[in-house]
Amino acid sequence: MSSSTERRTDGRGRTTGSVLSGLAVAVGCVLFLGGFVWAALIYRPYTVPTDSMSPTIAVGARVLAERVDGSEIRRGDIVVFKDSTWGALPMVKRVVGVGGDKISCCTKQGRLTINGTPVEEPYLQGSGPASPIGFKAEVPTGQLFLLGDHRSDSLDSRVHLTDGDHGSVPRSAVDARVDARAWPLGSVGVMQRPATFSALPGGTSQPGPVQPITLAVVAGAALILVGAAYGPLARRKARKRA
C-alpha cells in the first residue's frame, strides 16, 4: 500500500484526506454560525427610511447598528434614536455636537463650527455650504445635536431649535450606533469615523467588532466549501492509487 497522505488511515478505514475534509467543514461551521450568533448579540439591522443621510447612506439601505449606551456616543457617530418630540419612528442622523458644545453655521467658507472651530465635512451631499440656512445652538449637558448628511433634505436638530433643548435629544434616546452598510451589495462597507472630529475634545468612538465578525463568517464559508470539495477528491485519488 502507498504511504501517501491520501491513503493513510485513522484506524477506521478513513483516509487522512477525509479526516481533514471533515475537520475543515466542522471548523468552518463553527466560525460561520458563530459569526452570525455573535452579530445577532451585538448588532441590529435597520432600514433607513429617508434620503436625509445621503450620500453616506441611501434611502432604503440596510445598516448594522451596534447596541450601545448613549454615554458611549461621540461626535461624528451615526446613530439610531427615537425621541417623542421628533416622532414615533426610529431615525438615523449624525452627531455633530455633544453637551456643552456651541454649534454655528455657517462661516464665509460655508463650514459648520463647533466651539468656534470650523470642521471639514467631506461626507455631505453636494458642494454647497454645510447648511442652506444659518443657525446657532448651544447643546445642553447630556444632550446630542444631530444633523443629516443631506442638509437640504433633512429634518433634524435645526427644525427643533425652538424646542426647550435647542434641537438636541438626550443621550438616552440613542438605541444604537451605525457600524456598517449591509445592503445594497454595492454599498457594503464599514462606516468610517470622520477625521475632522478626532482633534476635538473627546475624539471619536471606536468601531465595534463588525470586521472580525465578517472575517469569521467569510473564513467559515471558505473552509466549508474547501472541505466539502476536498473530501470527495481525496477519496477518488486514494482509490485510483489503490
Side-chain angles (χ1 to χ4, degrees):
M1 179 180 292
S2 170
S3 60
S4 64
T5 299
E6 289 81 0
R7 300 199 57 200
R8 293 184 190 137
T9 64
D10 63 357
R12 292 174 293 178
R14 291 188 300 170
T15 66
T16 301
S18 296
V19 174
L20 292 176
S21 172
L23 182 61
V25 171
V27 173
C29 287
V30 171
L31 288 172
F32 187 79
L33 297 176
F36 276 105
V37 172
W38 188 7
L41 292 174
I42 296 176
Y43 288 99
R44 295 177 181 176
Y46 288 92
T47 299
V48 178
T50 71
D51 195 42
S52 68
M53 283 303 297
S54 177
T56 308
I57 306 174
V59 58
R62 296 279 286 180
V63 298
L64 295 178
E66 182 185 6
R67 298 176 174 95
V68 296
D69 186 86
S71 62
E72 300 177 46
I73 299 302
R74 301 289 183 267
R75 300 182 194 88
D77 287 343
I78 298 174
V79 297
V80 180
F81 69 98
K82 186 163 62 176
D83 184 82
S84 58
T85 304
W86 293 49
L89 298 176
M91 294 188 173
V92 180
K93 304 291 181 187
R94 186 185 296 275
V95 176
V96 299
V98 298
D101 284 346
K102 293 181 180 180
I103 313 295
S104 180
C105 198
C106 300
T107 66
K108 292 181 180 179
Q109 292 74 34
R111 296 181 186 175
L112 180 81
T113 65
I114 301 175
N115 301 322
T117 301
V119 295
E120 293 279 358
E121 297 184 279
Y123 45 75
L124 294 182
Q125 173 77 23
S127 57
S131 176
I133 56 171
F135 66 91
K136 291 183 179 181
E138 185 168 350
V139 188
T141 301
Q143 302 280 116
L144 301 170
F145 197 82
L146 304 155
L147 297 177
D149 287 357
H150 193 174
R151 299 281 162 83
S152 62
D153 190 27
S154 176
L155 300 178
D156 46 40
S157 287
R158 295 169 297 171
V159 178
H160 299 278
L161 287 174
T162 57
D163 296 347
D165 291 322
H166 305 286
S168 63
V169 301
R171 286 181 176 270
S172 59
V174 173
D175 291 326
R177 178 177 56 214
V178 177
D179 255 5
R181 293 178 295 264
W183 185 264
L185 290 178
S187 68
V188 171
V190 177
M191 305 303 302
Q192 300 299 317
R193 268 53 177 177
T196 187
F197 295 104
S198 60
L200 298 175
T204 52
S205 64
Q206 295 299 313
V210 66
Q211 288 184 314
I213 287 175
T214 302
L215 180 61
V217 171
V218 172
L223 282 172
I224 291 171
L225 292 174
V226 171
Y230 179 69
L233 290 175
R235 287 192 295 271
R236 188 178 302 118
K237 191 173 181 180
R239 286 196 297 270
K240 287 181 179 179
R241 293 187 178 184

